[in-house]
Amino acid sequence: ANRSTQQQENYCRLRELRIDLVSMGYIIFPEWYHANNCVGPCRSPLSTRIPDYYSHTLFLLRMHEQGFPLQRAPCCVPVKYSQSVILTFTNDQGLKVKRYPDMVAEACGCR
Amino acid sequence: ANRSTQQQENYCRLRELRIDLVSMGYIIFPEWYHANNCVGPCRSPLSTRIPDYYSHTLFLLRMHEQGFPLQRAPCCVPVKYSQSVILTFTNDQGLKVKRYPDMVAEACGCR
Amino acid sequence: MRVGFQAKNRSCVSYGSSALTEGMEHLRGLILEDGQNGTVQCPHNQCCFGIWNLIEGQLRAQLKGCWISEKEATCDSPTCETQSSEDTFTLSCRCRADLCNDNITHERKRQADSLRSS
Amino acid sequence: MRVGFQAKNRSCVSYGSSALTEGMEHLRGLILEDGQNGTVQCPHNQCCFGIWNLIEGQLRAQLKGCWISEKEATCDSPTCETQSSEDTFTLSCRCRADLCNDNITHERKRQADSLRSS
């Protein structure tokens, strides 16, 4: 049971990541935010470990396991995002508020 | 112009990949299909190179460029799939036809 | 490309049996149901297919008809030949000529034919 | 968690100016529009915010009000202090106490205050 937990811990999943936005230069608010990131290896079996199941990924992993070299192996990435509001400078030192999609990673998957 | 073309060629994009399904053991048709795959590096600037633009990816790349180590760098993955029909054996040697989503990579993006 | 009047339909031999236990709805119009033998017409870009069991050297048809040929999974062969080189219980083919799926060519049949003709 | 009757609103100093050229709709109800000065009430988990220009040592307010505090971008400080250590033209803060965004504390002001008190 302990070993299985350890394996799950080390599988593709959402981890905390705080991104500093002030250093971007043109962003005023928020100064930073919890963007999070998807981290961890992608390997078989997919279905029992991850809610997002892609047939394409499954077949890529099988090819890989059968010894065929893949130009790009499956990768742990965000499959669901949420949006956020950002206050930035405009080009002429004015202020602008805008809602940006795909700001925060909410769920991960192997693709 | 030539150099720019070369750079685009080397950027994250859809490449042909044929996957053999008969070797999976339980699949009868199709024997193989054009699954395709997303291959190539992800780097700034994102917006001019790729139609699918993610704020999350943009900020990850900026962090990376500013010298902060990322646990997982942006990765070139399918962002759009299409479905396909597969004919397989059932557990008791019967036959089963099913439509599977996410079979074919149709578009790529950096996530 | 628009399909003109010249584009002939594909004719495939059809056979439906109880072997198909799930997903009949995906093959509606592409096979005849309930053990009927006959011919079905499908768009000219479709493949014919067939699945047989090989029992004591005898082929027993399981399913025949038109296959849903999507752009990403076409068929190349004009004749129905088994892809598998192994000694399997189930033989299958997809092919792209009218009525090409009537019978399947397989190793043991080919060996027997060449023995007979020599 | 349901917000009970005990949960007080947050009061923030509000100031709206023509500096906000785009996206006013996202701050509707969170700032007073058209150069009005006053106080706005927002849910108790929101932050107050303020943006000033620093012109010849004088602070000129650009925008004040409640900030849309989403779970992924909260504010920690009870007082309004500039995050930037650089000598910038624009100063800003977000803070989480009633009316905390009336004025901003910044390096040069702090230096001047400490000189005065010594």
Side-chain angles (χ1 to χ4, degrees):
Chain A
N2 201 351
R3 198 184 152 207
S4 151
T5 310
Q6 220 173 4
Q7 281 181 339
Q8 273 191 348
E9 287 286 304
N10 193 30
Y11 201 68
C12 171
R13 65 177 180 87
L14 196 65
R15 320 265 168 136
E16 281 187 14
L17 177 70
R18 182 177 152 150
I19 290 187
D20 179 45
L21 293 181
V22 167
S23 67
M24 303 288 163
Y26 63 97
I27 297 173
I28 304 173
F29 297 138
E31 298 90 347
W32 56 268
Y33 80 114
H34 292 292
N36 302 327
N37 198 9
C38 296
V39 180
C42 291
R43 54 174 178 249
S44 300
L46 272 186
S47 51
T48 56
R49 289 168 192 267
I50 216 150
D52 281 282
Y53 167 100
Y54 301 95
S55 302
H56 188 264
T57 309
L58 181 79
F59 292 141
L60 282 185
L61 283 173
R62 291 271 173 88
M63 268 187 85
H64 190 68
E65 282 160 11
Q66 289 173 1
F68 291 97
L70 288 176
Q71 268 200 285
R72 185 197 59 86
C75 190
C76 174
V77 293
V79 295
K80 205 183 142 215
Y81 293 98
S82 61
Q83 55 183 10
S84 246
V85 169
I86 292 185
L87 194 152
T88 60
F89 289 112
T90 60
N91 288 336
D92 52 354
Q93 288 286 312
L95 302 173
K96 173 179 153 184
V97 179
K98 199 175 162 187
R99 189 168 285 278
Y100 287 83
D102 313 322
M103 282 283 290
V104 179
E106 294 284 353
C108 301
C110 286
R111 284 193 168 182
Chain B
N2 202 350
R3 200 185 150 205
S4 152
T5 310
Q6 221 173 3
Q7 281 181 339
Q8 274 192 346
E9 287 286 304
N10 194 30
Y11 201 67
C12 171
R13 66 177 180 86
L14 196 66
R15 320 266 169 137
E16 281 187 13
L17 177 70
R18 183 177 151 151
I19 290 186
D20 179 45
L21 293 182
V22 167
S23 66
M24 303 287 162
Y26 62 98
I27 298 173
I28 304 174
F29 297 138
E31 299 90 347
W32 56 267
Y33 80 114
H34 292 292
N36 301 327
N37 198 8
C38 295
V39 181
C42 291
R43 55 173 178 248
S44 299
L46 274 185
S47 53
T48 55
R49 288 168 192 267
I50 217 149
D52 282 283
Y53 166 100
Y54 302 94
S55 302
H56 187 266
T57 309
L58 181 78
F59 293 140
L60 282 185
L61 283 174
R62 291 272 174 90
M63 269 186 85
H64 189 68
E65 282 160 10
Q66 287 172 2
F68 291 97
L70 289 176
Q71 267 199 285
R72 186 198 58 86
C75 187
C76 174
V77 294
V79 294
K80 206 184 140 212
Y81 293 99
S82 62
Q83 55 183 9
S84 247
V85 168
I86 291 185
L87 195 152
T88 60
F89 289 112
T90 61
N91 289 335
D92 52 352
Q93 289 284 314
L95 302 173
K96 174 180 152 184
V97 178
K98 198 175 164 189
R99 189 168 284 278
Y100 287 83
D102 313 323
M103 282 283 289
V104 179
E106 292 286 350
C108 301
C110 286
R111 285 194 169 181
Chain C
M1 203 181 72
R2 269 191 80 192
V3 175
F5 283 99
Q6 289 84 351
K8 270 187 64 195
N9 279 348
R10 167 83 64 234
S11 301
C12 297
V13 177
S14 174
Y15 175 69
S17 80
S18 58
L20 184 66
T21 54
E22 221 178 293
M24 182 58 218
E25 67 274 18
H26 297 295
L27 295 183
R28 197 141 286 154
L30 300 176
I31 63 166
L32 299 172
E33 298 173 40
D34 301 329
Q36 289 181 74
N37 245 316
T39 305
V40 283
Q41 302 284 321
C42 35
H44 78 290
N45 59 336
Q46 302 278 55
C47 307
C48 300
F49 81 93
I51 302 172
W52 292 262
N53 282 344
L54 188 61
I55 303 167
E56 293 170 7
Q58 295 297 309
L59 286 172
R60 186 178 298 171
Q62 295 293 297
L63 209 60
K64 293 182 188 180
C66 298
W67 180 252
I68 315 127
S69 296
E70 290 159 305
K71 69 177 192 304
E72 66 275 6
T74 54
C75 55
D76 301 322
S77 173
T79 60
C80 175
E81 291 176 72
T82 178
Q83 298 286 306
S84 155
S85 56
E86 292 167 58
D87 187 15
T88 50
F89 175 71
T90 302
L91 300 175
S92 64
C93 79
R94 291 191 302 145
C95 50
R96 51 175 186 78
D98 284 345
L99 308 177
C100 62
N101 64 332
D102 194 21
N103 261 307
I104 190 164
T105 313
H106 60 103
E107 259 333 290
R108 269 160 294 173
K109 187 165 180 294
R110 271 204 292 269
Q111 282 172 358
D113 288 350
S114 59
L115 283 172
R116 208 169 293 141
S117 63
S118 67
Chain D
M1 204 180 70
R2 268 191 82 193
V3 175
F5 284 99
Q6 289 85 349
K8 271 187 63 195
N9 278 349
R10 168 82 65 233
S11 301
C12 297
V13 177
S14 174
Y15 175 68
S17 80
S18 59
L20 184 66
T21 53
E22 221 177 293
M24 182 59 219
E25 67 275 16
H26 296 296
L27 295 183
R28 196 143 286 154
L30 301 176
I31 63 166
L32 300 170
E33 298 174 39
D34 301 329
Q36 290 180 72
N37 244 316
T39 304
V40 283
Q41 303 284 322
C42 35
H44 78 290
N45 59 337
Q46 301 276 56
C47 308
C48 300
F49 82 92
I51 302 170
W52 292 263
N53 281 344
L54 188 61
I55 303 168
E56 293 169 10
Q58 295 294 312
L59 287 170
R60 187 178 295 172
Q62 294 294 295
L63 209 59
K64 294 181 188 180
C66 298
W67 179 253
I68 316 127
S69 296
E70 290 158 305
K71 68 174 193 304
E72 65 277 3
T74 54
C75 55
D76 301 322
S77 175
T79 60
C80 175
E81 291 176 72
T82 177
Q83 298 286 306
S84 156
S85 56
E86 291 169 58
D87 188 16
T88 50
F89 176 70
T90 301
L91 300 174
S92 63
C93 79
R94 291 190 302 146
C95 49
R96 51 174 187 79
D98 284 346
L99 308 177
C100 62
N101 65 333
D102 194 21
N103 260 309
I104 190 164
T105 313
H106 61 102
E107 260 332 291
R108 268 161 296 172
K109 189 166 178 296
R110 272 205 291 267
Q111 281 172 359
D113 288 350
S114 60
L115 282 172
R116 208 169 292 141
S117 63
S118 66

